[in-house]
């Protein structure tokens, strides 16, 4: 399977990664981190989670021979940065736009790919914490990726959770339970 992309998609995903990195860095720099440290942590922990989440949707959609490319929501990126000055981030950086034959099952599988990647990435960060000891990047990498997965499982509107819930309620509740259990660690 060949993964296709375009210059527009690369520009959009880069804008979104940078905006999310800045927004989370602003919030994290209000803690014990300097702004430069917060940017590095955000770029790795948040940026990687965001990028791989969207790539998960894209790969599964393209597996089903659909057109799939990420498009940024520029006004929401600016809102995320603005809100970060108040100490929190509500980020809806964009979405993978999909065109082609997508039934309820395919849509559910495409949708769960993103949060599943966030959980896998969170577990990688957790395992690395046990191997190398606790450090800020690994700790935030674990926490933020679990939070991204849990946030995306909201079963309303156009969130991944709504599509997964419509497709397979048992899988939806099992995934939410696993994600919530990790959230409590």
């Amino acid at each position: 399977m060949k993964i296709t992309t375009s210059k527009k998609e690369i520009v959009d995903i880069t804008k979104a990664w940078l905006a999310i990195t800045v927004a989370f860095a602003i919030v994290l720099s209000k803690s014990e981190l300097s702004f430069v440290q917060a940017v590095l942590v955000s770029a790795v922990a948040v940026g990687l989670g965001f990028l791989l989440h969207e790539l998960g949707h894209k790969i599964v959609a393209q597996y089903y021979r659909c057109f799939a490319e990420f498009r940024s929501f520029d006004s929401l990126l600016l809102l995320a940065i603005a809100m970060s000055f108040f100490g929190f981030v509500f980020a809806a950086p964009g979405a993978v736009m999909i065109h082609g034959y997508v039934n309820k099952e395919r849509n559910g599988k495409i949708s769960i790919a993103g949060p599943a990647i966030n959980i896998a990435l969170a577990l990688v960060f957790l395992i690395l914490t046990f191997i190398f000891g606790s450090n800020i990047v690994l700790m935030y990498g674990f926490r933020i990726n679990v939070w991204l997965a849990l946030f995306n499982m909201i079963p309303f509107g156009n969130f991944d959770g709504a599509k997964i819930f419509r497709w397979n309620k048992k899988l939806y509740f099992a995934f939410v339970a696993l994600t919530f259990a990790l959230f409590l660690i």
Side-chain angles (χ1 to χ4, degrees):
M1 180 184 97
K2 182 182 174 190
I3 300 170
T4 61
T5 190
S6 69
K7 288 181 184 179
K8 169 76 173 140
E9 180 178 40
I10 292 168
V11 167
D12 278 17
I13 206 151
T14 302
K15 279 191 297 190
W17 190 340
L18 290 173
I20 287 174
T21 296
V22 168
F24 274 89
I26 290 166
V27 171
L28 292 177
S29 68
K30 294 179 181 184
S31 65
E32 71 275 4
L33 300 177
S34 71
F35 185 72
V36 172
Q37 290 172 319
V39 166
L40 294 173
V41 169
S42 296
V44 174
V46 181
L48 192 60
F50 153 71
L51 180 67
L52 294 178
H53 176 105
E54 298 301 337
L55 190 58
H57 293 314
K58 178 184 178 77
I59 289 170
V60 176
Q62 287 189 352
Y63 170 82
Y64 288 123
R65 295 189 169 92
C66 295
F67 171 84
E69 283 198 353
F70 178 83
R71 293 294 181 259
S72 61
F73 301 153
D74 294 348
S75 59
L76 294 178
L77 291 174
L78 293 173
L79 180 63
I81 292 170
M83 290 172 56
S84 68
F85 288 103
F86 298 101
F88 63 96
V89 177
F90 177 80
V96 174
M97 301 299 158
I98 300 167
H99 303 286
Y101 175 68
V102 180
N103 61 18
K104 190 174 12 176
E105 178 182 355
R106 284 183 177 187
N107 203 18
K109 289 178 180 178
I110 291 166
S111 296
I112 202 164
I117 285 179
N118 288 123
I119 292 302
L121 191 55
L123 292 173
V124 167
F125 281 118
L126 185 63
I127 290 166
L128 291 174
T129 299
F130 287 120
I131 294 170
F132 297 109
S134 182
N135 74 51
I136 198 102
V137 174
L138 298 177
M139 183 179 68
Y140 278 117
F142 171 75
R143 291 256 174 243
I144 288 170
N145 277 282
V146 170
W147 181 86
L148 287 171
L150 195 57
F151 178 77
N152 275 280
M153 292 306 290
I154 294 172
F156 300 108
N158 208 26
F159 283 102
D160 295 331
K163 299 169 201 167
I164 298 161
F165 185 82
R166 284 191 295 269
W167 164 53
N168 187 324
K169 289 173 181 52
K170 288 180 184 176
L171 179 64
Y172 171 83
F173 285 114
F175 191 87
V176 168
L178 167 69
T179 305
F180 191 71
L182 289 171
F183 184 76
L184 296 176
I185 290 178

